[in-house]
Amino acid sequence: MKELSLNILDIAENSFKAKATLTEIIIEENSETLTLIIKDNGCGMTGEVLNSVTNPFFTTRTTRKVGMGIPLLKSEAEMTGGSFEISSQSEIEFKDTHGTAVKAVFNKKHIDYTPLGDVVLSIVTLVQGHPDSDILFNHTIGNKTVVLDTREIRRVLEDVPLNSFEVIKWIEEYLLEQYSETN
């Protein structure tokens, strides 16, 4: 993918398909590395599926025979000399602690490093497309942090849907304002 923000969108969509009620998107960035962590409390994967998920010719989808999201993220991280980890606990075996965690570390100075891209648009798109699920977004850049927690927004707004135009616009502006303070 041309931007890591598109990988974030793709992997987070997997969380929502796994019926996650909370998806955490964590980015930790310094001058040398970018670490991306996406965790959810979805249904998780069995050991068999987990062992196959980095194979691009494996997918649980019935609409096509390949699944490129996770294999592509793994490849992009490893091409920079970084690393990739995925862990999962299936709700079949772990009733209270099920979910999946993906971690990719990128060397930002490597020629093959894919830029982060428009992460604000990706987060706004996820909130708009999944207004009944919660997202905790946390991007640490050096000693500054950009945070969005839809659970807090939901508590304040009570019965206003998160995907209403006004709320989506506010989320976008709120994130952009925080990013402007990191420069």
Side-chain angles (χ1 to χ4, degrees), residues 5-167:
S5 61
L6 297 176
N7 292 93
I8 291 169
L9 195 59
D10 184 60
I11 302 301
E13 281 294 332
N14 292 342
S15 297
F16 298 120
K17 287 176 187 161
K19 298 180 177 52
T21 57
L22 176 63
T23 301
E24 297 177 53
I25 301 167
I26 302 158
I27 304 170
E28 298 168 350
E29 191 173 355
N30 60 44
S31 62
E32 301 287 323
T33 62
L34 182 141
T35 301
L36 170 62
I37 301 167
I38 301 175
K39 301 189 294 189
D40 69 52
N41 65 354
C43 65
M45 293 180 266
T46 64
E48 181 182 345
V49 172
L50 183 61
N51 289 333
S52 301
V53 78
T54 57
N55 178 347
F57 299 104
F58 172 83
T59 185
T60 57
R61 292 181 183 172
T62 56
T63 55
R64 62 180 184 221
K65 296 183 193 280
V66 295
M68 295 301 291
I70 289 174
L72 193 56
L73 182 64
K74 179 180 188 288
S75 174
E76 289 172 345
E78 291 174 348
M79 282 186 343
T80 70
S83 61
F84 178 86
E85 300 170 26
I86 185 167
S87 60
S88 190
Q89 293 183 325
S90 170
E91 70 181 336
I92 296 166
E93 300 173 69
F94 301 91
K95 295 284 184 220
D96 298 325
T97 59
H98 52 85
T100 300
V102 174
K103 178 180 179 181
V105 179
F106 300 85
N107 176 352
K108 289 172 56 176
K109 297 195 178 213
H110 195 280
I111 193 168
D112 290 324
Y113 172 67
T114 304
L116 182 57
D118 193 348
V119 72
V120 170
L121 181 59
S122 289
I123 298 303
V124 168
T125 300
L126 289 168
V127 173
Q128 188 172 20
H130 304 282
D132 297 326
S133 298
D134 283 310
I135 297 171
L136 173 59
F137 173 69
N138 190 315
H139 184 176
T140 302
I141 307 164
N143 62 355
K144 303 208 178 188
T145 303
V146 175
V147 177
L148 178 77
D149 189 340
T150 60
R151 295 170 297 184
E152 291 177 10
I153 298 169
R154 196 180 306 284
R155 278 191 287 274
V156 171
L157 296 179
E158 295 177 5
D159 293 329
V160 178
L162 292 184
N163 63 347
S164 69
F165 176 78
E166 294 82 5
V167 175

